[in-house]
Amino acid sequence: MIELSLDNFVRSLLKRGIAQLREADVPSFTLAAELLLLHILGRNRTWLYAHPEEIIADADTQRFFDLIARRAAGEPTQHLTGKQEFWGLEFEVNPDVLIPRPETEHLIEVALDRLALRELRAGRPQKSAGEGLQIADIGTGSGCIAIALAQELPSATFVATDISPAALAVAHRNAQRHAVADRIRFLESNLLSALRSPLATRHSPLSFNLIASNPPYIGRREAPSLPREVRDHEPAAALFGGEEGYELYANLISQSAQHLKPGGMLVLELGHNSLPAVQPLLDAANWINVGVTNDLAGIQRVLAAERL
Ligand SMILES: C[S@@+](CC[C@H](N)C(=O)[O-])C[C@H]1O[C@@H](n2cnc3c(N)ncnc32)[C@H](O)[C@@H]1O
């Protein structure tokens, strides 16, 4: 039973929520309690601190402490609020998709930088709307990569694949929410294998100017050391690439080589220790301008290359 005797003030609810999460060793416990309270109240952060004495209805108080208990038991905050921000856009998330991570924004930056460089080389204005560009996002999950790129490149068209139909349903709703669903074709596929037919023929393979992917790259043997929020609540298909983690990259790279136009770009997110296993797969016979970009933690996070 929750004690509601003294007050249901915003300030005191928040304090009690924070204390419960801190006690349960929840990371970023203050932020988590704030986000859960804002979610229940349908308010923003400014309101929260401008109205510390506001009285909250008993039903909302009960709902807040129910969510605090679930967060304390390990459910990610984003599963409780149903959303996560990525590239300044709000995405629906649920246990069928990976929660978009800030590191993946580096992949978007690298893709846009490489496209801008391509325009520069061709003597066109650097900032393009992506006219005529065909882009693929392999393992789209929530759709965050395809949708962020579609927002930046309003004339480009996209194919977004995933092996999980449940993830594709979430991605499609996110594309509708951000008004880009008419430019993204969502396709259930093992990597790029479904792109062979009936979309493409042997004489006219479906080919792209850019292929982006954040594949599952954690090793199964690393599972015990993952935070419980990740290990117990995010989809295994989105996390694990195999026993070591980097197993999917070989097929991803060889299939991408078949589906990129000459001069087309491949941009891949990497796991914290994937580079030594993945970079040699970009053989000089097929790939040039290979580049690695670090994330804010100094981890080699994005590998990019151009198809010869
Ligand atoms: C690390 S998550 C990335 C999700 C999203 N692109 C992001 O960056 O947040 C990997 C995604 O790849 C999908 N996936 C796993 N194996 C796959 C395969 N063989 N072919 C296609 N998609 C796959 C998973 O279902 C998951 O949605």
Side-chain angles (χ1 to χ4, degrees):
M1 260 312 269
I2 296 159
E3 282 176 41
L4 301 172
S5 51
L6 279 180
D7 58 37
N8 282 15
F9 290 162
V10 163
R11 188 178 45 193
S12 89
L13 292 189
L14 194 55
K15 255 177 85 176
R16 280 191 280 157
I18 291 169
Q20 287 183 25
L21 294 186
R22 188 174 43 214
E23 190 130 320
D25 277 335
V26 167
S28 310
F29 47 82
T30 302
L31 180 64
E34 282 176 5
L35 289 172
L36 294 176
L37 188 55
L38 295 174
H39 173 65
I40 294 291
L41 300 178
R43 302 283 191 175
N44 63 29
R45 224 155 166 223
T46 318
W47 182 92
L48 192 64
Y49 288 97
H51 298 82
E53 311 289 318
E54 191 89 6
I55 306 269
I56 304 303
D58 285 357
D60 284 343
T61 303
Q62 182 69 53
R63 286 171 60 218
F64 172 60
F65 283 107
D66 286 348
L67 292 189
I68 289 286
R70 287 171 63 186
R71 182 67 195 90
E75 281 186 64
T77 305
Q78 295 90 336
H79 286 178
L80 302 172
T81 61
K83 59 193 181 212
Q84 170 64 34
E85 194 183 297
F86 178 84
W87 201 253
L89 305 167
E90 189 177 284
F91 285 85
E92 173 194 334
V93 295
N94 67 22
D96 293 325
V97 297
L98 188 88
I99 298 165
R101 303 296 205 269
E103 301 90 272
T104 305
E105 295 188 339
H106 292 293
L107 182 152
I108 306 289
E109 284 165 1
V110 170
L112 293 175
D113 283 353
R114 290 234 170 192
L115 288 172
L117 200 62
R118 177 180 172 269
E119 295 303 295
L120 200 67
R121 276 202 229 139
R124 294 186 291 257
Q126 254 173 285
K127 175 85 183 139
S128 103
E131 286 89 357
L133 285 186
Q134 297 232 57
I135 298 176
D137 171 18
I138 309 303
T140 196
S142 64
C144 61
I145 293 174
I147 292 167
L149 288 174
Q151 287 267 325
E152 294 293 330
L153 302 163
S155 300
T157 54
F158 294 80
V159 174
T161 76
D162 206 289
I163 205 162
S164 156
L168 287 167
V170 175
H172 190 248
R173 285 199 293 278
N174 277 321
Q176 285 173 322
R177 170 192 286 223
H178 294 296
V180 293
D182 56 332
R183 288 188 290 122
I184 306 179
R185 177 172 183 151
F186 291 99
L187 199 62
E188 187 179 334
S189 175
N190 183 354
L191 301 177
L192 294 94
S193 57
L195 296 177
R196 281 199 211 109
S197 73
L199 285 171
T201 67
R202 203 159 65 86
H203 302 293
S204 165
L206 190 69
S207 55
F208 298 98
N209 305 91
L210 170 71
I211 296 178
S213 182
N214 172 19
Y217 53 60
I218 301 173
R220 280 198 182 274
R221 61 206 189 90
E222 292 177 65
S225 60
L226 291 175
R228 61 185 175 154
E229 286 81 0
V230 177
R231 187 187 53 235
D232 299 343
H233 295 278
E234 296 201 76
L239 299 176
F240 302 113
E243 200 51 27
E244 300 300 324
Y246 49 73
E247 286 86 340
L248 279 179
Y249 287 97
N251 279 340
L252 181 54
I253 289 173
S254 65
Q255 291 181 19
S256 296
Q258 291 165 25
H259 284 281
L260 275 172
K261 296 180 202 280
M265 262 133 353
L266 176 64
V267 185
L268 300 175
E269 183 166 325
L270 298 175
H272 67 96
N273 53 4
S274 312
L275 188 69
V278 180
Q279 189 159 7
L281 301 169
L282 295 168
D283 58 285
N286 286 310
W287 303 97
I288 52 168
N289 292 333
V290 176
V292 179
T293 306
N294 288 5
D295 66 16
L296 295 178
I299 294 169
Q300 294 161 320
R301 186 60 72 187
V302 182
L303 180 62
E306 192 177 318
R307 180 77 167 95
L308 258 179

